[in-house]
Amino acid sequence: MTKAMAFNEYGDADVLRPIDIELPAPGPGQVRVAVRAVGVNPLDHKVRSGAMVDMFPVAFPAVPGYELAGVVEAVGEDVSGLAPGDEVFGAVMGGAYAEQVLVPAGQLSRKPASLGWEEAAALPVAAETAERALDVLGVQPGETLLVHGAAGGVGTVLLQFARARGITVIGTASEANHDHLRALGAIPVAYGDGLAERVRAVAPDGVDRALDAVGQGGVLPLSVELTGGADRVLTIADFVGAEQYGIRFTGGTEGASYHQRAYATALALHEAGTLRLPLHRVLPLAEAAEGQRISEGGHLRGKVVLTV
Ligand SMILES: NC(=O)c1ccc[n+]([C@@H]2O[C@H](COP(=O)([O-])OP(=O)(O)OC[C@H]3O[C@@H](n4cnc5c(N)ncnc54)[C@H](OP(=O)(O)O)[C@@H]3O)[C@@H](O)[C@H]2O)c1
């Protein structure tokens, strides 16, 4: 039996309860991982609350958790390159708030000993989203990119990936996070009224493209105005606004898998000693509800991580 945190109904964070589940043996292409740490993402509370029931229905009891770091316990047929005892990190479509989880092998990468468990668990979703978003947006070296919501889990990694591609980044965040953005090589700008003027002041030659990781505050029309075209703007957070303004949304259903490329990008930065993965808060798995409440608060610097 595996201990997990799960919800049996949609609701607030209090619906999360400990349960015991029985995992089947890993099937073809699957790996069973003993989880050491799991990242908390906004998707966790959006799914748990029922807000995404149309796009993302779950079967009860539902175990959240889309990214993890841990130790390989068993591998299914057709899995090569991974063996019991290997330390790994990766992404999974739910189930990681648990002592053990089954993960598609192609979504795992070996964890270097020098990368901590919590940091490794904070990486997969942000890295995959960042690599994908930069590609889908088509931002080129030498261009200037405006990132809305730059201080969060995705923004923190996306800024570093963009800088590594030779892109100048302007990031919006609250004042408290401006030093954090500067340390990542971005130009910080406060969000709210007057944002367009503040962006123009730091980018007198203009902004080439914009990426929205916030999904509120009228940033989509403002981004079209600043970049000069809806095709130069991408959102990862506002599906409805994307339709309204004719802007692209990326949700990971493009067909291509970005996982391994994203992990390679992150590990190259880690080996160079420059990757920063700030942890907003680390809690034990049993306090998953508190972890989701903090995430729901919406003003994170980096990630909330649960340890197992
Ligand atoms: N489509 C996809 O594939 C995909 C993948 C991953 C995530 N997402 C979505 O992308 C969004 C961001 O995810 P995340 O994990 O980075 O979230 P997060 O870690 O919770 O970060 C949210 C960030 O937003 C900032 N923020 C809040 N209000 C803001 C505003 N009005 N303007 C600018 N920044 C603001 C906060 O910084 P301050 O403290 O500075 O306010 C915080 O750092 C979520 O909606 C998530 O569901 C989508």
Side-chain angles (χ1 to χ4, degrees):
M1 286 299 231
T2 290
K3 293 207 179 308
M5 294 298 290
F7 56 102
N8 246 316
E9 59 183 319
Y10 295 117
D12 63 22
D14 294 331
V15 297
L16 283 166
R17 299 278 159 75
I19 61 164
D20 290 321
I21 52 174
E22 195 144 7
L23 277 188
Q30 285 186 324
V31 174
R32 190 175 75 228
V33 179
V35 180
R36 297 290 295 269
V38 49
V40 175
N41 285 284
L43 185 61
D44 303 12
H45 68 74
K46 291 180 188 177
V47 170
R48 185 218 66 224
S49 69
M52 294 190 70
V53 67
D54 292 335
M55 284 169 77
F56 220 105
V58 296
F60 296 124
V63 180
Y66 302 97
E67 58 184 347
L68 66 133
V71 181
V72 172
E73 286 190 331
V75 301
E77 278 172 42
D78 304 337
V79 173
S80 58
L82 288 173
D86 287 347
E87 297 186 352
V88 293
F89 66 94
V92 64
M93 284 312 290
Y97 282 28
E99 291 173 339
Q100 297 164 307
V101 65
L102 296 175
V103 187
Q107 293 180 195
L108 287 170
S109 177
R110 283 171 184 274
K111 183 188 82 63
S114 54
L115 184 63
W117 292 110
E118 289 92 352
E119 285 79 6
L123 189 54
V125 169
E128 190 276 336
T129 307
E131 189 84 18
R132 168 164 46 88
L134 290 171
D135 270 26
V136 173
L137 186 54
V139 58
Q140 300 297 318
E143 289 190 338
T144 299
L145 170 68
L146 172 63
V147 178
H148 299 282
V154 174
T156 291
V157 172
L158 189 135
L159 297 189
Q160 298 177 73
F161 283 16
R163 296 292 298 129
R165 291 186 186 203
I167 294 159
T168 300
V169 185
I170 298 166
T172 72
S174 58
E175 296 278 352
N177 283 328
H178 283 195
D179 283 346
H180 166 61
L181 296 196
R182 275 189 205 98
L184 299 177
I187 302 162
V189 172
Y191 49 79
D193 287 347
L195 174 58
E197 289 69 35
R198 286 192 292 281
V199 171
R200 287 193 185 101
V202 297
D205 294 333
V207 168
D208 297 298
R209 293 173 207 264
L211 183 111
D212 166 38
V214 175
Q216 53 179 291
V219 300
L220 295 185
L222 177 140
S223 296
V224 174
E225 182 194 325
L226 284 169
T227 60
D231 58 333
R232 296 179 159 270
V233 182
L234 181 74
T235 178
I236 64 166
D238 189 357
F239 185 73
V240 174
E243 291 207 327
Q244 186 180 353
Y245 296 105
I247 285 163
R248 285 174 295 164
F249 171 89
T250 176
T253 51
E254 284 76 12
S257 175
Y258 286 89
H259 292 281
Q260 294 301 336
R261 267 183 50 200
Y263 303 157
T265 302
L267 291 176
L269 292 176
H270 174 67
E271 276 158 29
T274 61
L275 185 68
R276 299 282 171 270
L277 293 168
L279 301 175
H280 184 90
R281 187 84 179 268
V282 178
L283 295 164
L285 178 62
E287 292 179 37
E290 178 60 10
Q292 288 198 357
R293 277 187 213 103
I294 295 167
S295 173
E296 254 172 306
H299 293 283
L300 275 58
R301 183 183 306 169
K303 283 305 259 273
V304 175
V305 169
L306 308 171
T307 52
V308 181

Short mmCIF file of all heavy atoms in Angstrom, two decimals, residues 40-43 45-46 125-126 128-129 132 147-156 172-177 191-192 212-217 219 235-238 249-252 295-296 298-303, ligand 1:
data_model
loop_
_atom_site.label_atom_id
_atom_site.label_comp_id
_atom_site.label_asym_id
_atom_site.label_seq_id
_atom_site.Cartn_x
_atom_site.Cartn_y
_atom_site.Cartn_z
N VAL A 40 4.25 21.78 -6.03
CA VAL A 40 2.85 22.23 -6.02
C VAL A 40 2.70 23.28 -7.12
O VAL A 40 3.49 24.21 -7.22
CB VAL A 40 2.49 22.84 -4.64
CG1 VAL A 40 1.08 23.43 -4.66
CG2 VAL A 40 2.63 21.79 -3.54
N ASN A 41 1.67 23.11 -7.95
CA ASN A 41 1.42 24.03 -9.06
C ASN A 41 0.02 24.62 -8.95
O ASN A 41 -0.87 24.00 -8.34
CB ASN A 41 1.53 23.27 -10.39
CG ASN A 41 2.97 22.97 -10.74
OD1 ASN A 41 3.69 23.86 -11.18
ND2 ASN A 41 3.40 21.74 -10.53
N PRO A 42 -0.22 25.80 -9.58
CA PRO A 42 -1.58 26.34 -9.57
C PRO A 42 -2.62 25.36 -10.11
O PRO A 42 -3.76 25.34 -9.66
CB PRO A 42 -1.47 27.59 -10.47
CG PRO A 42 -0.03 28.01 -10.36
CD PRO A 42 0.75 26.72 -10.23
N LEU A 43 -2.20 24.50 -11.06
CA LEU A 43 -3.14 23.52 -11.60
C LEU A 43 -3.70 22.62 -10.50
O LEU A 43 -4.86 22.19 -10.57
CB LEU A 43 -2.44 22.67 -12.68
CG LEU A 43 -3.31 21.68 -13.44
CD1 LEU A 43 -4.44 22.39 -14.19
CD2 LEU A 43 -2.47 20.86 -14.42
N HIS A 45 -4.61 23.29 -7.40
CA HIS A 45 -5.81 23.82 -6.71
C HIS A 45 -6.93 24.13 -7.70
O HIS A 45 -8.11 24.04 -7.35
CB HIS A 45 -5.47 25.02 -5.81
CG HIS A 45 -5.04 26.27 -6.51
ND1 HIS A 45 -5.90 27.08 -7.18
CD2 HIS A 45 -3.82 26.86 -6.63
CE1 HIS A 45 -5.24 28.12 -7.69
NE2 HIS A 45 -3.97 28.00 -7.37
N LYS A 46 -6.56 24.45 -8.97
CA LYS A 46 -7.61 24.70 -9.97
C LYS A 46 -8.41 23.42 -10.24
O LYS A 46 -9.62 23.44 -10.40
CB LYS A 46 -7.00 25.22 -11.27
CG LYS A 46 -6.40 26.62 -11.16
CD LYS A 46 -5.81 27.06 -12.50
CE LYS A 46 -5.04 28.35 -12.38
NZ LYS A 46 -4.40 28.76 -13.66
N VAL A 125 7.62 20.94 -14.35
CA VAL A 125 6.51 21.67 -14.98
C VAL A 125 7.00 23.02 -15.49
O VAL A 125 6.72 23.42 -16.63
CB VAL A 125 5.34 21.84 -14.00
CG1 VAL A 125 4.31 22.83 -14.54
CG2 VAL A 125 4.68 20.49 -13.72
N ALA A 126 7.75 23.73 -14.66
CA ALA A 126 8.23 25.06 -15.07
C ALA A 126 9.16 24.94 -16.27
O ALA A 126 9.06 25.73 -17.22
CB ALA A 126 8.95 25.72 -13.90
N GLU A 128 9.42 22.47 -18.57
CA GLU A 128 8.71 22.04 -19.80
C GLU A 128 7.88 23.19 -20.35
O GLU A 128 7.86 23.43 -21.56
CB GLU A 128 7.82 20.82 -19.47
CG GLU A 128 7.22 20.14 -20.69
CD GLU A 128 5.94 20.77 -21.20
OE1 GLU A 128 5.24 21.46 -20.42
OE2 GLU A 128 5.64 20.61 -22.39
N THR A 129 7.19 23.90 -19.46
CA THR A 129 6.34 25.02 -19.91
C THR A 129 7.20 26.12 -20.51
O THR A 129 6.86 26.70 -21.55
CB THR A 129 5.53 25.58 -18.73
OG1 THR A 129 4.82 24.52 -18.09
CG2 THR A 129 4.54 26.63 -19.19
N ARG A 132 8.68 25.08 -23.96
CA ARG A 132 7.57 25.04 -24.93
C ARG A 132 7.10 26.46 -25.28
O ARG A 132 6.93 26.80 -26.45
CB ARG A 132 6.42 24.20 -24.34
CG ARG A 132 5.10 24.29 -25.07
CD ARG A 132 4.16 23.18 -24.66
NE ARG A 132 4.04 22.94 -23.23
CZ ARG A 132 3.18 23.58 -22.42
NH1 ARG A 132 2.36 24.47 -22.90
NH2 ARG A 132 3.13 23.28 -21.12
N VAL A 147 7.57 39.50 -20.01
CA VAL A 147 6.96 38.35 -19.33
C VAL A 147 6.09 38.88 -18.19
O VAL A 147 6.59 39.52 -17.26
CB VAL A 147 8.03 37.39 -18.76
CG1 VAL A 147 7.36 36.24 -18.02
CG2 VAL A 147 8.93 36.87 -19.87
N HIS A 148 4.79 38.61 -18.27
CA HIS A 148 3.86 39.00 -17.20
C HIS A 148 3.82 37.87 -16.17
O HIS A 148 3.57 36.71 -16.52
CB HIS A 148 2.45 39.20 -17.75
CG HIS A 148 2.35 40.27 -18.78
ND1 HIS A 148 2.33 41.61 -18.47
CD2 HIS A 148 2.28 40.19 -20.14
CE1 HIS A 148 2.24 42.31 -19.59
NE2 HIS A 148 2.22 41.48 -20.61
N GLY A 149 4.05 38.18 -14.89
CA GLY A 149 4.07 37.16 -13.85
C GLY A 149 5.41 36.46 -13.81
O GLY A 149 5.48 35.23 -13.74
N ALA A 150 6.46 37.26 -13.83
CA ALA A 150 7.81 36.72 -14.03
C ALA A 150 8.41 36.08 -12.78
O ALA A 150 9.38 35.33 -12.88
CB ALA A 150 8.74 37.81 -14.53
N ALA A 151 7.85 36.36 -11.60
CA ALA A 151 8.49 35.89 -10.37
C ALA A 151 7.99 34.53 -9.90
O ALA A 151 8.55 33.95 -8.97
CB ALA A 151 8.26 36.91 -9.25
N GLY A 152 6.96 33.98 -10.56
CA GLY A 152 6.39 32.71 -10.10
C GLY A 152 7.22 31.51 -10.53
O GLY A 152 8.34 31.65 -11.03
N GLY A 153 6.63 30.33 -10.32
CA GLY A 153 7.35 29.09 -10.62
C GLY A 153 7.77 29.03 -12.08
O GLY A 153 8.95 28.77 -12.40
N VAL A 154 6.84 29.27 -13.00
CA VAL A 154 7.17 29.21 -14.43
C VAL A 154 8.07 30.38 -14.81
O VAL A 154 9.10 30.21 -15.46
CB VAL A 154 5.89 29.22 -15.29
CG1 VAL A 154 6.24 29.32 -16.77
CG2 VAL A 154 5.06 27.95 -15.04
N GLY A 155 7.68 31.59 -14.37
CA GLY A 155 8.44 32.79 -14.77
C GLY A 155 9.90 32.70 -14.37
O GLY A 155 10.79 33.03 -15.16
N THR A 156 10.16 32.24 -13.16
CA THR A 156 11.54 32.15 -12.66
C THR A 156 12.42 31.30 -13.58
O THR A 156 13.56 31.66 -13.86
CB THR A 156 11.52 31.55 -11.23
OG1 THR A 156 10.91 32.51 -10.36
CG2 THR A 156 12.89 31.23 -10.73
N THR A 172 7.30 41.46 -15.27
CA THR A 172 6.45 42.16 -14.31
C THR A 172 6.34 41.35 -13.02
O THR A 172 6.25 40.13 -13.04
CB THR A 172 5.03 42.44 -14.86
OG1 THR A 172 4.30 41.20 -14.92
CG2 THR A 172 5.07 43.08 -16.23
N ALA A 173 6.40 42.08 -11.91
CA ALA A 173 6.28 41.47 -10.58
C ALA A 173 6.01 42.58 -9.58
O ALA A 173 6.19 43.76 -9.89
CB ALA A 173 7.58 40.74 -10.20
N SER A 174 5.60 42.19 -8.37
CA SER A 174 5.46 43.18 -7.31
C SER A 174 6.86 43.67 -6.92
O SER A 174 7.86 42.97 -7.15
CB SER A 174 4.74 42.56 -6.11
OG SER A 174 5.47 41.42 -5.67
N GLU A 175 6.90 44.85 -6.31
CA GLU A 175 8.20 45.46 -5.94
C GLU A 175 9.06 44.50 -5.14
O GLU A 175 10.28 44.46 -5.31
CB GLU A 175 7.96 46.73 -5.10
CG GLU A 175 7.24 47.85 -5.82
CD GLU A 175 8.17 48.69 -6.70
OE1 GLU A 175 9.40 48.51 -6.64
OE2 GLU A 175 7.63 49.51 -7.45
N ALA A 176 8.40 43.73 -4.27
CA ALA A 176 9.15 42.83 -3.38
C ALA A 176 9.97 41.81 -4.16
O ALA A 176 10.96 41.27 -3.64
CB ALA A 176 8.18 42.11 -2.44
N ASN A 177 9.58 41.57 -5.40
CA ASN A 177 10.29 40.55 -6.21
C ASN A 177 11.24 41.15 -7.24
O ASN A 177 11.80 40.40 -8.05
CB ASN A 177 9.26 39.65 -6.92
CG ASN A 177 8.66 38.62 -5.96
OD1 ASN A 177 9.34 38.17 -5.04
ND2 ASN A 177 7.41 38.27 -6.19
N TYR A 191 3.64 45.77 -11.99
CA TYR A 191 2.40 45.65 -12.77
C TYR A 191 1.36 46.64 -12.26
O TYR A 191 1.61 47.39 -11.34
CB TYR A 191 1.87 44.21 -12.78
CG TYR A 191 1.76 43.49 -11.45
CD1 TYR A 191 0.69 43.72 -10.59
CD2 TYR A 191 2.71 42.55 -11.07
CE1 TYR A 191 0.57 43.03 -9.39
CE2 TYR A 191 2.61 41.85 -9.87
CZ TYR A 191 1.52 42.09 -9.04
OH TYR A 191 1.41 41.41 -7.86
N GLY A 192 0.18 46.67 -12.90
CA GLY A 192 -0.88 47.60 -12.50
C GLY A 192 -0.94 48.83 -13.40
O GLY A 192 -0.28 48.87 -14.45
N ASP A 212 2.29 35.84 -21.36
CA ASP A 212 1.43 36.07 -20.19
C ASP A 212 1.40 34.82 -19.32
O ASP A 212 0.89 33.79 -19.73
CB ASP A 212 0.02 36.43 -20.67
CG ASP A 212 -0.99 36.33 -19.54
OD1 ASP A 212 -0.63 36.71 -18.40
OD2 ASP A 212 -2.13 35.88 -19.79
N ALA A 213 1.92 34.94 -18.09
CA ALA A 213 1.83 33.85 -17.11
C ALA A 213 0.99 34.28 -15.91
O ALA A 213 1.16 33.77 -14.81
CB ALA A 213 3.23 33.43 -16.66
N VAL A 214 0.08 35.26 -16.16
CA VAL A 214 -0.76 35.77 -15.07
C VAL A 214 -2.24 35.51 -15.33
O VAL A 214 -2.97 35.02 -14.47
CB VAL A 214 -0.55 37.30 -14.87
CG1 VAL A 214 -1.51 37.83 -13.83
CG2 VAL A 214 0.87 37.58 -14.44
N GLY A 215 -2.70 35.89 -16.54
CA GLY A 215 -4.09 35.65 -16.91
C GLY A 215 -5.07 36.62 -16.32
O GLY A 215 -6.24 36.30 -16.15
N GLN A 216 -4.63 37.82 -15.98
CA GLN A 216 -5.56 38.83 -15.45
C GLN A 216 -4.96 40.21 -15.64
O GLN A 216 -3.81 40.34 -16.04
CB GLN A 216 -5.80 38.57 -13.95
CG GLN A 216 -4.52 38.49 -13.15
CD GLN A 216 -4.76 38.25 -11.67
OE1 GLN A 216 -5.26 39.13 -11.00
NE2 GLN A 216 -4.43 37.08 -11.19
N GLY A 217 -5.78 41.20 -15.33
CA GLY A 217 -5.27 42.59 -15.32
C GLY A 217 -5.15 43.22 -16.69
O GLY A 217 -4.40 44.17 -16.87
N VAL A 219 -3.70 42.28 -19.38
CA VAL A 219 -2.35 42.26 -19.96
C VAL A 219 -2.35 41.81 -21.42
O VAL A 219 -1.40 42.09 -22.14
CB VAL A 219 -1.35 41.41 -19.14
CG1 VAL A 219 -1.22 41.96 -17.74
CG2 VAL A 219 -1.73 39.95 -19.13
N THR A 235 -0.20 33.31 -24.33
CA THR A 235 -0.57 33.16 -22.92
C THR A 235 -0.55 31.69 -22.52
O THR A 235 -0.91 30.82 -23.31
CB THR A 235 -1.96 33.77 -22.61
OG1 THR A 235 -2.27 33.54 -21.23
CG2 THR A 235 -3.07 33.19 -23.49
N ILE A 236 -0.09 31.46 -21.28
CA ILE A 236 -0.18 30.10 -20.72
C ILE A 236 -1.26 30.06 -19.64
O ILE A 236 -1.49 29.03 -19.04
CB ILE A 236 1.16 29.62 -20.11
CG1 ILE A 236 1.59 30.48 -18.91
CG2 ILE A 236 2.26 29.56 -21.16
CD1 ILE A 236 2.69 29.87 -18.07
N ALA A 237 -1.91 31.22 -19.40
CA ALA A 237 -2.78 31.33 -18.22
C ALA A 237 -4.19 31.80 -18.50
O ALA A 237 -5.01 31.83 -17.59
CB ALA A 237 -2.12 32.28 -17.21
N ASP A 238 -4.49 32.19 -19.75
CA ASP A 238 -5.79 32.82 -20.00
C ASP A 238 -6.39 32.30 -21.30
O ASP A 238 -6.33 32.93 -22.35
CB ASP A 238 -5.62 34.34 -20.05
CG ASP A 238 -6.95 35.08 -20.09
OD1 ASP A 238 -8.01 34.42 -20.13
OD2 ASP A 238 -6.92 36.33 -20.08
N PHE A 249 -2.79 30.40 -27.20
CA PHE A 249 -2.66 29.80 -25.86
C PHE A 249 -1.88 28.51 -26.04
O PHE A 249 -2.12 27.77 -26.99
CB PHE A 249 -4.06 29.49 -25.30
CG PHE A 249 -4.04 28.69 -24.02
CD1 PHE A 249 -3.99 29.34 -22.78
CD2 PHE A 249 -4.09 27.30 -24.04
CE1 PHE A 249 -3.98 28.61 -21.60
CE2 PHE A 249 -4.07 26.57 -22.86
CZ PHE A 249 -4.02 27.22 -21.64
N THR A 250 -0.94 28.23 -25.15
CA THR A 250 -0.29 26.92 -25.18
C THR A 250 -0.59 26.18 -23.89
O THR A 250 -0.45 26.74 -22.80
CB THR A 250 1.24 27.00 -25.41
OG1 THR A 250 1.77 25.66 -25.32
CG2 THR A 250 1.94 27.89 -24.41
N GLY A 251 -1.05 24.94 -24.05
CA GLY A 251 -1.38 24.14 -22.87
C GLY A 251 -0.69 22.80 -22.87
O GLY A 251 -1.02 21.92 -22.07
N GLY A 252 0.24 22.61 -23.78
CA GLY A 252 1.00 21.36 -23.80
C GLY A 252 0.39 20.30 -24.70
O GLY A 252 0.79 19.14 -24.64
N SER A 295 -0.14 28.38 -2.47
CA SER A 295 -0.12 28.51 -3.94
C SER A 295 -1.30 29.34 -4.41
O SER A 295 -1.17 30.22 -5.28
CB SER A 295 -0.15 27.11 -4.56
OG SER A 295 -0.30 27.17 -5.96
N GLU A 296 -2.46 29.10 -3.82
CA GLU A 296 -3.69 29.84 -4.20
C GLU A 296 -3.56 31.32 -3.89
O GLU A 296 -4.21 32.14 -4.54
CB GLU A 296 -4.89 29.26 -3.44
CG GLU A 296 -5.77 28.42 -4.31
CD GLU A 296 -6.86 27.68 -3.52
OE1 GLU A 296 -6.51 26.96 -2.58
OE2 GLU A 296 -8.03 27.82 -3.90
N GLY A 298 -1.22 33.21 -4.58
CA GLY A 298 -0.85 33.81 -5.87
C GLY A 298 0.35 34.73 -5.90
O GLY A 298 0.61 35.35 -6.91
N HIS A 299 1.11 34.86 -4.83
CA HIS A 299 2.27 35.77 -4.85
C HIS A 299 3.54 35.03 -4.45
O HIS A 299 4.22 35.40 -3.49
CB HIS A 299 2.02 36.99 -3.97
CG HIS A 299 0.93 37.86 -4.52
ND1 HIS A 299 1.12 38.71 -5.59
CD2 HIS A 299 -0.37 37.96 -4.19
CE1 HIS A 299 -0.01 39.32 -5.89
NE2 HIS A 299 -0.94 38.88 -5.04
N LEU A 300 3.84 33.99 -5.21
CA LEU A 300 5.00 33.16 -4.87
C LEU A 300 6.28 33.68 -5.51
O LEU A 300 6.24 34.24 -6.59
CB LEU A 300 4.78 31.72 -5.38
CG LEU A 300 3.99 30.78 -4.46
CD1 LEU A 300 2.63 31.31 -4.15
CD2 LEU A 300 3.90 29.41 -5.09
N ARG A 301 7.39 33.46 -4.81
CA ARG A 301 8.70 33.65 -5.42
C ARG A 301 9.28 32.24 -5.55
O ARG A 301 9.79 31.67 -4.60
CB ARG A 301 9.58 34.51 -4.53
CG ARG A 301 10.95 34.80 -5.14
CD ARG A 301 11.80 35.60 -4.21
NE ARG A 301 11.14 36.82 -3.76
CZ ARG A 301 11.59 37.59 -2.78
NH1 ARG A 301 12.68 37.26 -2.13
NH2 ARG A 301 10.93 38.67 -2.43
N GLY A 302 9.16 31.67 -6.75
CA GLY A 302 9.57 30.28 -6.94
C GLY A 302 8.45 29.34 -6.54
O GLY A 302 7.27 29.66 -6.66
N LYS A 303 8.80 28.16 -6.03
CA LYS A 303 7.84 27.06 -5.89
C LYS A 303 7.55 26.68 -4.44
O LYS A 303 8.41 26.81 -3.56
CB LYS A 303 8.42 25.79 -6.53
CG LYS A 303 8.36 25.70 -8.04
CD LYS A 303 6.99 25.88 -8.63
CE LYS A 303 6.31 24.61 -9.02
NZ LYS A 303 6.64 24.16 -10.36
N1 LIG B 1 -0.58 26.40 -20.02
C1 LIG B 1 0.37 25.71 -19.42
O1 LIG B 1 0.97 24.79 -19.98
C2 LIG B 1 0.75 26.07 -18.01
C3 LIG B 1 1.80 25.40 -17.36
C4 LIG B 1 2.15 25.81 -16.06
C5 LIG B 1 1.46 26.86 -15.46
N2 LIG B 1 0.41 27.44 -16.11
C6 LIG B 1 -0.34 28.57 -15.52
O2 LIG B 1 0.52 29.71 -15.55
C7 LIG B 1 0.22 30.54 -14.43
C8 LIG B 1 1.53 30.81 -13.64
O3 LIG B 1 1.97 29.58 -13.07
P1 LIG B 1 3.10 29.61 -11.95
O4 LIG B 1 3.34 28.21 -11.54
O5 LIG B 1 4.24 30.45 -12.39
O6 LIG B 1 2.31 30.40 -10.79
P2 LIG B 1 2.83 30.88 -9.38
O7 LIG B 1 4.11 30.21 -9.06
O8 LIG B 1 1.69 30.80 -8.47
O9 LIG B 1 3.21 32.42 -9.62
C9 LIG B 1 2.30 33.40 -9.75
C10 LIG B 1 3.11 34.72 -9.88
O10 LIG B 1 2.25 35.69 -10.41
C11 LIG B 1 2.67 36.95 -9.88
N3 LIG B 1 1.55 37.85 -9.98
C12 LIG B 1 0.36 37.83 -9.33
N4 LIG B 1 -0.44 38.80 -9.81
C13 LIG B 1 0.28 39.41 -10.81
C14 LIG B 1 -0.01 40.47 -11.71
N5 LIG B 1 -1.19 41.09 -11.72
N6 LIG B 1 0.95 40.83 -12.61
C15 LIG B 1 2.15 40.20 -12.64
N7 LIG B 1 2.49 39.19 -11.80
C16 LIG B 1 1.54 38.81 -10.91
C17 LIG B 1 3.12 36.66 -8.51
O11 LIG B 1 4.22 37.52 -8.23
P3 LIG B 1 4.15 38.79 -7.28
O12 LIG B 1 4.31 38.27 -5.89
O13 LIG B 1 5.32 39.56 -7.75
O14 LIG B 1 2.81 39.45 -7.47
C18 LIG B 1 3.63 35.22 -8.58
O15 LIG B 1 5.03 35.20 -8.62
C19 LIG B 1 -0.87 29.82 -13.64
O16 LIG B 1 -2.12 30.33 -14.05
C20 LIG B 1 -0.73 28.38 -14.08
O17 LIG B 1 -1.93 27.65 -13.94
C21 LIG B 1 0.05 27.08 -17.37
#
